[in-house]
Amino acid sequence: MAITRRQSRKLPPPPAVGADADSDSSLTELESADDIESEKAGDPDGGPSSRARGKPPAKRAKKGTGAAAKAPQRIVRKRTAKLSQLPSMPLDVLYEVFGHVGPADLLSLSRASKALRHILMSRKSIGLWKGAVKNAGAPECPADLSEPAWAHLIFGGSRCQSCGTKGVIKVDFYLKRRLCAWCKKRELINSVKFEKQCPDFDPTIMELVPYTITITGGWAHDYISESKSFLRDDIYEMSQMLGAYQSDVHMHKPGAEKALEDFKAARMERVAAIATSARELENWFDRADYERLNAARQAKQERKDAIIARFVELGYHHDDAKHAVDREEGRSDRPLTEKIWTRIRQQLEPVVEEFKAYRQVRERGHLIRARQASLRALYKDFKKTLLPSQWANLPSDTDFLQFAECHDLVNLETNDPLSESDLAGFMGKLPALTSSWIARRKNEISRNIPGSASNTGSAGPSSAIDVDGAVDLDLLEAATSVFVCGTEGCIVRALIFSHHGKEPLVGLNHALSHVCDRSRFNTFYYSGGQSQLMDLSYTSQVTFSDRGSAAMKSLLGTLGLDAKRATRADLDREDPRLVCMVCKPKPMSGGSGRPAWSWIECVSHFITEKSHELPRWQLLTPEQTQHAKQQEGLDQLLGSREIWTCNHCSTYFENLKTKLQVTDHVKQVHGIVSPSEGTDLFIGPKARCPAVQRTMVLMEVTPPRAPLPPKYSNYICKQCPASSTRRFGEQGIVAHLRDKHKVTEPGPEHFGR
């Protein structure tokens, strides 16, 4: 008994799909009306009979037993397609309907059923194919193809007509085929390799078959080649046709030679016509492809514009909607309908909201930065009303923007920039605000000194603290008041500072003028969809240095200066050069030496070198100091750099010049005949200059070594050849004569000097 699919629970194997499954091989020729009628005669329904198609007889339904059989059976009505009766309509009506269908739709209809195939593939339907191709803007069908085959070649999809691979966009109009790169490599024969691949064929065959000029090798992606390529099947077919004519010639049939020549001439003419037509078709295809892409691009843009217009009607900003439309839903070229809009609005509206929040934060950031720029410009104008020597103690731009009054102006709720009235009112408050800031900064710095009332609750041992716990600001200007900056990443150094450690801040004014490099911090950032202002409330990082104070006291003792009265200005005036006697000397030519440092580098050295328990310095002699300064070239370096400014005006506020230029300015503009450094001109507080390279000073001279005794005496052996240059000592020459020359009693005749 045969086993059915229901009994075996296995599906039959899928039908075999040939390599040309998607091609229109059955549509290469139109069928005649007589052929269609003859096929209809075999089947009353208009197609082949059921027995001819091999349809098995209907199976008898099985009747079950038990409860399942007694239960009422659900009646399932077979659905019939709404267009199933379409082929039964009058032909004139069908032709009228099909006349409005495009070529691709005609191809789909011709494959829908046998009945539709017979109608559309009839020679009576040739007008439909011509009209559809013409309405689509395609050229007329070439003479070597049928109308359905031509429609299939252009509008039948992008599958390879040999293997069915998708994505084959280009059509080879020379061969009238759509082939992928692999099939071109497999099915085409290049003229260069013709003799190797077809050794038994006459090379003249290549002149009689259509050819293509695209590359067929590993890079066969529609690149133009100078050589020709031919279909392998065309070569074989032409060899058989040509062989038949040549056979007639060999058999000496009448007119055989003329028939062969006429055949070759006709074929060569046909090949030339195909090549000419192919070039025209390629130009048309390129233009049509460009127009298609341009139309698709325009349709996408129209869809984007329609979506943007819908969001603008809802109250959103045009730019927010534009950014959101660039997402996946905004890249389609289908027209925007109400149904599509309802669907994509749910997907795009959250994105629009996100861009809206980001834009508002960005615009708020631009407004805040613009307000900060206005306040900085106002602060610059205020600085110009003061003496340039006072600029160093003023707050930096970063500290200035941290004022509560600045913060309120910057973060106004309005969306307008600062007005002239706001800036004018704030300008009058600047003197009091800056004075208050300087006083607060002084208290913060002095509070770090050990023994202050704010730290211990009572007066400490520091001489800078009064009995009432108040800080004596005059005593804080003493050189022994050494501070250091604890801000991480602070790289600000003195102009003549070459030590690898941080610059110590000597005296209160020096500490107040120190500005850390905090440009890497941003006052505004975006987080969680809202604008956030970074908390930059000022916290002093300048602290008192015990090691720096100890190093300074030792250094002042070495210089013979009073530790209670000496100031930074006194040390700059002396400008000594010292060496650290705790460090090990370094070898140098003539002995050992130590680096000569300025006084501020000595303090920094002791602060950095934690291994030094106590500082110990040695002052260089005037000769050594003069030699060290000449090697440094500090005066020439500072004089040639654009780091100087005038102390009487703000001409060089942000445009520092050389010392000579500023000196001439003071003489000519301010009428000062002999300008003095520090009073009339000074180095700008924000000036930058390369560090001076310190020199080594010879501290210990190595005594000359005693000459070494000669390794050998001037004795030569007279027994050895005269060319020998060997020298011996007294004992050596005796041992040599005895061992080498067997002389038991050496004498003057055996050796000499």
Side-chain angles (χ1 to χ4, degrees):
M1 183 179 75
I3 300 177
T4 63
R5 184 177 63 186
R6 181 184 299 274
Q7 294 171 341
S8 64
R9 298 184 180 276
K10 294 182 180 180
L11 293 174
V17 180
D20 201 15
D22 193 46
S23 64
D24 199 21
S25 58
S26 60
L27 301 182
T28 55
E29 295 294 341
L30 290 172
E31 300 175 3
S32 63
D34 299 337
D35 297 336
I36 298 176
E37 294 299 330
S38 62
E39 290 188 7
K40 288 185 178 181
D43 187 15
D45 294 333
S49 62
S50 299
R51 191 172 303 276
R53 292 195 302 266
K55 182 177 179 181
K59 295 183 178 180
R60 182 179 300 175
K62 294 184 178 181
K63 295 182 180 180
T65 58
K70 296 179 180 180
Q73 299 294 328
R74 181 180 178 183
I75 300 175
V76 180
R77 298 185 180 276
K78 184 178 180 180
R79 290 187 176 183
T80 57
K82 296 180 179 180
L83 299 179
S84 59
Q85 303 299 323
L86 184 63
S88 61
M89 297 177 64
L91 288 179
D92 54 347
V93 177
L94 287 179
Y95 286 154
E96 183 66 25
V97 174
F98 292 161
H100 300 278
V101 176
D105 296 329
L106 282 180
L107 291 171
S108 300
L109 288 171
S110 65
R111 299 187 182 106
S113 65
K114 282 267 187 180
L116 289 176
R117 170 184 169 80
H118 291 317
I119 296 174
L120 293 176
M121 297 303 293
S122 173
R123 295 186 182 277
K124 297 179 181 180
S125 303
I126 191 172
L128 292 176
W129 295 97
K130 290 183 177 181
V133 171
K134 183 178 180 180
N135 294 335
E140 295 182 359
C141 177
D144 55 343
L145 287 181
S146 65
E147 298 291 343
W150 176 243
H152 172 71
L153 180 64
I154 301 178
F155 305 102
S158 59
R159 286 182 177 270
C160 174
Q161 292 180 319
S162 180
C163 66
T165 301
K166 295 181 180 180
V168 183
I169 305 299
K170 296 285 289 184
V171 177
D172 194 331
F173 289 100
Y174 287 86
L175 302 177
K176 302 298 189 298
R177 298 288 298 275
R178 191 189 294 267
L179 298 175
C180 63
W182 175 253
C183 291
K184 288 180 181 179
K185 184 178 180 180
R186 182 185 59 184
E187 298 185 10
L188 295 182
I189 299 177
N190 193 270
S191 59
V192 178
K193 301 179 181 179
F194 182 83
E195 295 183 358
K196 181 179 179 180
Q197 296 182 1
C198 305
D200 299 332
F201 291 166
D202 186 0
T204 58
I205 294 179
M206 293 186 291
E207 300 178 358
L208 308 179
V209 296
Y211 62 87
T212 182
I213 56 175
T214 55
I215 293 178
T216 59
W219 295 90
H221 294 284
D222 301 326
Y223 288 91
I224 302 301
S225 172
E226 295 181 357
S227 60
K228 301 178 181 179
S229 299
F230 309 91
L231 277 173
R232 192 180 303 270
D233 293 342
D234 291 347
I235 294 291
Y236 292 156
E237 182 180 357
M238 180 53 61
S239 66
Q240 294 178 1
M241 298 173 62
L242 191 61
Y245 283 99
Q246 292 175 348
S247 177
D248 293 343
V249 172
H250 292 323
M251 296 179 66
H252 302 287
K253 289 185 177 181
E257 293 184 359
K258 186 177 184 307
L260 177 60
E261 294 299 330
D262 294 342
F263 173 74
K264 289 183 178 181
R267 292 296 302 184
M268 294 174 64
E269 183 179 356
R270 180 181 178 185
V271 169
I274 291 176
T276 303
S277 174
R279 285 190 291 269
E280 297 176 355
L281 292 174
E282 282 186 345
N283 294 333
W284 165 82
F285 188 85
D286 293 338
R287 291 194 304 270
D289 188 58
Y290 173 78
E291 294 174 357
R292 179 183 59 83
L293 294 177
N294 192 26
R297 190 181 301 111
Q298 185 177 359
K300 290 180 181 180
Q301 188 61 41
E302 292 177 355
R303 179 186 174 101
K304 289 182 180 181
D305 295 341
I307 296 175
I308 293 173
R310 293 291 186 103
F311 278 114
V312 171
E313 291 177 0
L314 295 176
Y316 291 100
H317 196 274
H318 180 276
D319 295 340
D320 302 336
K322 181 179 179 181
H323 289 301
V325 166
D326 291 335
R327 297 294 181 92
E328 191 71 25
E329 289 295 339
R331 298 176 184 174
S332 175
D333 56 354
R334 297 177 58 189
L336 184 66
T337 61
E338 290 296 334
K339 183 177 181 180
I340 296 177
W341 164 247
T342 303
R343 176 179 59 83
I344 66 175
R345 177 183 174 182
Q346 300 176 357
Q347 301 176 1
L348 294 183
E349 195 163 11
V351 182
V352 178
E353 290 286 352
E354 181 180 353
F355 280 107
K356 177 182 178 181
Y358 180 77
R359 177 183 54 81
Q360 291 175 347
V361 171
R362 186 176 65 252
E363 292 177 352
R364 182 66 177 175
H366 293 331
L367 179 62
I368 288 178
R369 285 188 287 272
R371 291 174 177 176
Q372 290 175 345
S374 300
L375 291 177
R376 281 195 294 267
L378 182 70
Y379 186 47
K380 183 188 298 184
D381 295 337
F382 168 73
K383 286 182 179 180
K384 293 180 180 180
T385 61
L386 305 176
L387 290 177
S389 57
Q390 298 176 336
W391 296 342
N393 294 337
L394 293 175
S396 63
D397 290 351
T398 304
D399 297 328
F400 167 72
L401 292 176
Q402 295 173 16
F403 290 174
E405 291 78 5
C406 293
H407 186 273
D408 294 340
L409 287 176
V410 167
N411 294 279
L412 290 175
E413 295 298 331
T414 63
N415 295 327
D416 301 326
L418 296 178
S419 62
E420 295 293 337
S421 59
D422 295 335
L423 296 177
F426 184 70
M427 185 69 170
K429 302 178 182 179
L430 281 180
L433 292 176
T434 54
S435 300
S436 175
W437 182 90
I438 294 174
R440 185 174 69 254
R441 183 81 184 277
K442 288 181 178 179
N443 292 332
E444 290 175 348
I445 294 176
S446 61
R447 192 182 300 122
N448 295 318
I449 300 177
S452 63
S454 58
N455 284 341
T456 61
S458 60
S462 176
S463 60
I465 309 299
D466 296 340
V467 293
D468 298 332
V471 180
D472 189 349
L473 299 181
D474 294 333
L475 292 178
L476 286 177
E477 287 298 334
T480 54
S481 298
V482 181
F483 305 89
V484 292
C485 179
T487 303
E488 183 180 0
C490 177
I491 58 175
V492 179
R493 296 180 176 179
L495 294 176
I496 58 174
F497 190 74
S498 64
H499 193 262
H500 63 275
K502 285 187 177 182
E503 174 190 2
L505 308 174
V506 180
L508 181 61
N509 284 332
H510 191 200
L512 290 175
S513 63
H514 174 71
V515 178
C516 296
D517 184 10
R518 292 181 289 173
S519 59
R520 67 184 184 277
F521 297 115
N522 190 7
T523 60
F524 179 81
Y525 67 99
Y526 174 77
S527 176
Q530 297 180 355
S531 59
Q532 301 290 337
L533 287 175
M534 188 177 294
D535 184 12
L536 291 179
S537 57
Y538 182 77
T539 302
S540 176
Q541 298 294 329
V542 177
T543 58
F544 184 81
S545 175
D546 293 329
R547 290 182 62 87
S549 181
M552 181 60 73
K553 291 178 181 178
S554 174
L555 187 144
L556 293 175
T558 303
L559 297 177
L561 299 177
D562 186 1
K564 295 182 179 180
R565 298 181 180 275
T567 61
R568 178 188 178 94
D570 298 332
L571 292 171
D572 288 337
R573 193 178 306 109
E574 292 287 336
D575 194 19
R577 294 295 181 269
L578 304 97
V579 295
C580 177
M581 300 304 295
V582 182
C583 296
K584 294 181 180 181
K586 299 180 180 180
M588 59 181 301
S589 60
S592 60
R594 302 172 188 272
W597 286 333
S598 64
W599 64 268
I600 194 170
E601 290 175 323
C602 292
V603 177
S604 176
H605 172 71
F606 185 74
I607 294 174
T608 305
E609 295 294 337
K610 304 296 183 182
S611 60
H612 294 4
E613 295 182 0
L614 295 174
R616 188 158 56 94
W617 318 104
Q618 179 177 334
L619 180 64
L620 297 182
T621 63
E623 293 78 11
Q624 292 175 329
T625 302
Q626 183 179 3
H627 175 72
K629 290 183 178 180
Q630 289 178 353
Q631 294 294 325
E632 295 168 357
L634 180 60
D635 294 336
Q636 182 180 2
L637 176 64
L638 296 181
S640 61
R641 298 285 178 174
E642 294 183 347
I643 56 177
W644 297 85
T645 184
C646 177
N647 195 28
H648 298 282
C649 64
S650 59
T651 303
Y652 305 114
F653 179 74
E654 292 181 333
N655 187 23
L656 302 178
K657 296 297 182 180
T658 62
K659 186 176 182 180
L660 180 60
Q661 291 174 325
V662 178
T663 302
D664 295 339
H665 165 78
V666 174
K667 290 180 180 179
Q668 298 174 5
V669 177
H670 302 289
I672 300 175
V673 179
S674 300
S676 60
E677 181 180 339
T679 303
D680 301 312
L681 68 158
F682 66 99
I683 296 176
K686 294 184 179 181
R688 298 293 180 90
C689 182
V692 177
Q693 298 299 324
R694 297 306 180 190
T695 183
M696 295 289 293
V697 178
L698 184 64
M699 303 298 296
E700 298 178 2
V701 179
T702 304
R705 294 183 180 181
L708 297 175
K711 189 174 182 180
Y712 301 104
S713 299
N714 268 342
Y715 291 104
I716 61 173
C717 178
K718 294 182 179 180
Q719 304 299 319
C720 292
S723 60
S724 177
T725 60
R726 190 174 181 183
R727 299 293 184 266
F728 301 93
E730 293 180 358
Q731 297 179 358
I733 189 61
V734 174
H736 170 72
L737 289 171
R738 288 177 179 176
D739 296 339
K740 182 69 176 178
H741 303 289
K742 308 303 180 183
V743 179
T744 57
E745 295 294 337
E749 68 276 10
H750 300 105
F751 63 92
R753 290 182 178 275

